[in-house]
Amino acid sequence: MDNKKINPFRHEYFLGYINQVLPQYVKVHFPSSVLLNGFTHYGQEFNGGLVGSFVVIEGSKYGFLGRITELLLPESERLSLSEKAFQTSEFHPSGKIEILLSFDLYDPLTVKKGLTTYPNIGAKVFVSSGDLVQEYMSRFGVRADENTNAIKLGYLVSSPNIDVKVNLQSIFGRHCAVVGTTGGGKSFTVSKLIESLIKLGNKAILIDATGEYNGKYEGLKNINIGDGKSVFHYSQLTIDDLFFMLKPSPRTQTPKLMEAIRSLKISALNKGENLKHKNDEIVIDEGIIKKINSPKKPYEAFYYRNISKIENGTADFDFTKLARQISAECVFDNGTAWSGISNNDVSHCVSLISRVTNLGNTPELNQVFGFQEEKKENDITDLIDDFISVDNKDDKLLRLNLKDVKYDFQVRETLVNAIGKYLLNKARNRDFEKSPVVVLIDEAHQFLNKSIKDEYFESKPLDAFDSIAKECRKYGLFLCIATQMPRDIPKGTLSQMGTFIVHRLINYNDKEAISSACSTANKNTLDFLPILGEGEAVVTGVDFPMPIIMKFEKPIEEPNSGTPKLNINK
Ligand SMILES: Nc1ncnc2c1ncn2[C@@H]1O[C@H](COP(=O)(O)OP(=O)(O)OP(=O)(O)O)[C@@H](O)[C@H]1O
Ligand SMILES: [Mg+2]
């Protein structure tokens, strides 16, 4: 649109005058109630004085865009309210206007960040044309020297004839949170966002907790996890991840587990050969280091020579031998040598050994982490590598379907956290710089803010996504998390979210979590949250000089949450 053509103030749209100015809002006086009636102008409909409508105010140096939030009659006139009197403009209603942004009078499309001035008393108020509001929205997050590449996501709730077209950078550029009570429309919105990302040629990774995103997205690469075909091999996990699942007690079991892992790594590095040092030797039998009645020297010598490989923090050892190695660690240590079996240690480690055996023998877990097999070629990490590769121009959406992943042993949290950690390392490696990726996680409360806090184990958070939120924006890895319960998301992660898409929200604590995380959303707008309909949302964020109350368009591929319905007909 040509800047010069825009004249926000047209006398035919005149509504009234400002008669009071307060820091939070201004008041407008309508000389005649007739001005509040709706009218049609060149085929466009204006509903003059309805609550929620946009108005523009002509100040002396700046113009202002505002929204009517309240209409009222003076006390003296309220009593004589009748149909006839209202038609004959005998009433002098007034209204409150929330000022949303200010702009240069001579260059209306240049928006000023922050409100530094206010309109003066007597300033004229006009109904705002849809074009102006639309034009503002499409420029959010776009620098003056950049072109806008806005995509339509929906329309304004207050004025369905005004499309909401926004630049995706303004939504995802600083991470995005989609929140709202169940049935508010989060998943539909996520699907709409995915379609918009794909349409503009971007890549996205979707963590689909429930399997509801089963549509035919363009450039879809689908991975079903939990059916044994695609595995995130345990050797790609960190020791911490493994600890998270095994929960060793800190004083007695943790040191034995650490020793056993060290031993298995040593055994693998030495290819199962006996450890020799000068005249001493330690027997390695079927990959298990036999410490009983053995000198420590050969072990220690080998350990220090290979310390960086052994202490690399990853779980790259043979898990099938872990239970047996833990029992082999239960021996007395007399400084220079290991002697006989320590029955005390054995009894302390019984529960740990059974957890290890259990982990390795549970089919649901093996199908996710492959504890009984070697790493195969098509590991999930390989598939991720292939997807994000700059040369891969065909795949646009990588969907990781977690529908069949069980809830036991905190497998889901561990898996998603491990995927997060994998992406985090890729980002730190600058793998996304040339081709940025948005990671979308629906039902994020299932995965974030998880840590074990039991009486034995120190709290160890699964915080990969926290780190992604904190550091990965500059590396081109963006996060979009959708959840019913914002208070379940770690405060640190929430505070890193630049954009909020807030669907209907009723719970007081959730509303508080949102209002404390997004400073720009002012109280008036948040008042709309409990009354929003399906698919309607308040969109606010650092790149949004004003909050938008919009209805999202239905996505082409509708998520299918498949909530069982009660029969109401016979
Ligand atoms: N943009 C929209 N336009 C029209 N209808 C919508 C829109 N968004 C959601 N709906 C309706 O609301 C229903 C619930 O939407 P959705 O599944 O996205 O909610 P949700 O917030 O993800 O809920 P849950 O927390 O239970 O997953 C949908 O089945 C659909 O009928
Ligand atoms: Mg949903």
Side-chain angles (χ1 to χ4, degrees), residues 186-187 212 442-443:
K186 297 179 298 294
S187 302
E212 62 188 300
D442 198 355
E443 308 284 333

Side-chain angles (χ1 to χ4, degrees), residues 93-104:
S94 64
K96 264 191 198 173
I97 297 173
E98 172 196 356
I99 301 219
L100 300 168
L101 50 84
S102 57
F103 54 84
D104 198 318

Side-chain angles (χ1 to χ4, degrees), residues 271-288:
K271 306 209 165 49
E273 308 269 321
N274 290 358
L275 287 175
K276 290 188 182 134
H277 182 77
K278 298 191 177 143
N279 295 327
D280 293 334
E281 189 176 46
I282 290 181
V283 178
I284 301 187
D285 182 15
E286 292 181 10
I288 312 281

Side-chain angles (χ1 to χ4, degrees), residues 182-183 185-188 210 212-213 442-443 484 559 561:
T182 175
K186 297 179 298 294
S187 302
F188 271 48
T210 55
E212 62 188 300
Y213 296 86
D442 198 355
E443 308 284 333
Q484 279 179 32
S561 56

